Amino acid sequence: MIVPPGSHTAFIGKPSKPDEWLSYLYGKIPGPNSPALQFSKYYEGDQQKFAFSQARYKSAFWGVFDTWRDNFSGMIVDATNERLNVDSFRIPGEEGTDKDARSFWQRSSMDAYSNAVHLEALITGTSYIVVWADKDGEPTITPVSGERMAVCYKAGSLWELEAAARFEMDAWGRQQVTLWTEEYVYEVAYGTTEWDQGTKMPNPLGIVPVVPFENRIRLVGGPTSDLANCVPIQDAINKTVMDALTASEFAAFPQRFVTGLEIQEDAQGNPIEPFNVGLDKLLQAEAPDAKFGSFEAADLKNYVALVDMLVQHLASVSRVPSHYFLVNSSNTPSGEAIISAEAGLVAKVREKMLHFGEAWERVIRLCFAVKNDKRKDAFEMETRWRDPEYRTEAQHIDALLKLKQLNVPEEVLWSEAGFTAAQIDSFREMRKEDAKAAAEIQKLMPQPEPQNPAQQGKPLAKPPQGNSGNANRKINEAK
């Protein structure tokens, strides 16, 4: 945990010095009880256990249900995140942009970490990317959790940043703090505890090199986790299932009773249990008035019906299809029914592609800014995503063949078929090699020979020009 310096004095108004900016931005870092961290616990399935059990049940069943949980929160987030896959970037009319952007992308291992950026934003509401130059002057893309970074937007702007600060701690407990503004970069080195003892350097980019990835953003209020409306229903499911498990222990097991039997007591006057009904198969008594019987076992179907209803509500709120939750799993839906059921989830994913895609375009433009490339101002840049809709291979290819009949370019069809930009580049080179090979083979094939034996081995003679035009002219002159 980053601890602010104790010697820092409070200030009034807008921050004007680096240590004031750090103090202000540190106050925006989520605390240990913030909703963002609570959503992280729900995603990991580490939410509070036995929160709704009575005290006596908690003490009786702690050893039995200590590791138990019935958590759908992780699946709800993963169902969206697994469909968010960045494919490439392009600028209309600008060749080579995708190749350069892919170089930045691969250099920072973003094939793997882009998924983590989306995941963090879906869970907590916000994640960040920092773009800076390495020792060789090449742009690096660094993901940062919302637990370690805070930003301040310019007054009246929804995307322009005035300042950003990153608070890190190494394995030895030393803190390191970095502040970015448009004018300067301020860094407090590892081991330095006072924020006014940092190093100030000019910002060569002239822009704050931080890009927020905000989930479910609004014009007012902050970003929101995908689990915000799901947590109350998840708690209700946990409580209901816990009640069912408790009932299965107390009431679902047939309870036996005996009457007319003298109660034996120990030396302290406590009654002695005459039988171990959970172990003894035969119960017998010598008293002639003793009678044995059993209570009817409790039916747990009511709990099952209630959990099914809550799960359906959870599916509706999260826009995740019911077959993900195995609701009514006895009726397996057909392929077309699954595609129809996933329409809401696909629409939800496409909406996130809209906002996350804009953030990735800003990241790539910052990479070009590090290289001092004119494409740093290419606001027409587009992020291309892989298709979030799952379809059978036969349906997919058949649809692409119909598009080909409309003269859709082949590279567009390759992209829609799911091939990556790197694969498409290799396809281009393969087609060039195939064309060269076909030309070489054509040279080795027998060439057509002329019909006139006198012309053997010579090029074909040009056929004589007809004189039908002169004849027609003479006929007209005679008239």
Side-chain angles (χ1 to χ4, degrees), residues 264-373:
Q264 302 293 326
E265 297 180 350
D266 59 14
Q268 288 76 29
N270 299 317
I272 300 175
E273 183 179 2
F275 309 105
N276 187 347
V277 294
L279 181 62
D280 296 337
K281 295 183 178 179
L282 178 63
L283 306 180
Q284 60 182 1
E286 297 180 356
D289 296 333
K291 294 182 180 180
F292 294 91
S294 62
F295 296 107
E296 184 179 356
D299 188 358
L300 301 180
K301 291 183 180 179
N302 291 334
Y303 292 106
V304 176
L306 179 57
V307 170
D308 282 348
M309 183 199 72
L310 292 173
V311 170
Q312 290 176 4
H313 287 191
L314 190 59
S316 177
V317 169
S318 64
R319 298 177 71 184
V320 176
S322 296
H323 58 266
Y324 273 68
F325 298 88
L326 298 180
V327 177
N328 300 323
S329 58
S330 59
N331 300 323
T332 304
S334 63
E336 293 184 357
I338 289 178
I339 293 176
S340 177
E342 292 182 350
L345 176 60
V346 172
K348 172 183 174 181
V349 173
R350 292 190 185 278
E351 188 270 339
K352 296 186 185 301
M353 287 179 173
L354 182 65
H355 297 285
F356 289 168
E358 181 64 28
W360 283 121
E361 291 159 19
R362 293 170 60 191
V363 169
I364 299 302
R365 286 199 295 268
L366 280 171
C367 291
F368 283 123
V370 171
K371 299 288 290 183
N372 198 22
D373 191 295

Side-chain angles (χ1 to χ4, degrees), residues 429-447:
E429 298 300 323
M430 290 178 185
R431 295 193 65 174
K432 291 179 182 178
E433 295 297 328
D434 290 344
K436 291 180 181 179
E440 295 295 332
I441 293 174
Q442 184 64 32
K443 292 179 181 179
L444 300 176
M445 298 292 291
Q447 302 298 319

Side-chain angles (χ1 to χ4, degrees), residues 22-86:
L22 290 174
S23 179
Y24 168 73
L25 293 173
Y26 180 79
K28 302 179 69 174
I29 295 291
N33 295 321
S34 67
L37 299 186
Q38 295 301 317
F39 293 140
S40 294
K41 291 182 178 180
Y42 272 86
Y43 174 79
E44 298 293 343
D46 194 30
Q47 66 267 30
Q48 185 179 4
K49 295 180 284 292
F50 295 104
F52 302 98
S53 299
Q54 297 183 22
R56 57 175 179 168
Y57 295 153
K58 184 181 299 186
S59 60
F61 295 107
W62 179 261
V64 179
F65 301 132
D66 181 27
T67 59
W68 173 87
R69 58 179 62 90
D70 190 18
N71 187 47
F72 294 103
S73 301
M75 182 270 295
I76 290 173
V77 174
D78 291 340
T80 300
N81 191 48
E82 67 188 10
R83 298 172 185 248
L84 291 170
N85 297 292
V86 176

Side-chain angles (χ1 to χ4, degrees), residues 13 16 43 95 319 393 406 472 478:
S16 59
Y43 174 79
E95 296 294 334
R319 298 177 71 184
E393 192 68 14
L406 298 176
N472 291 334

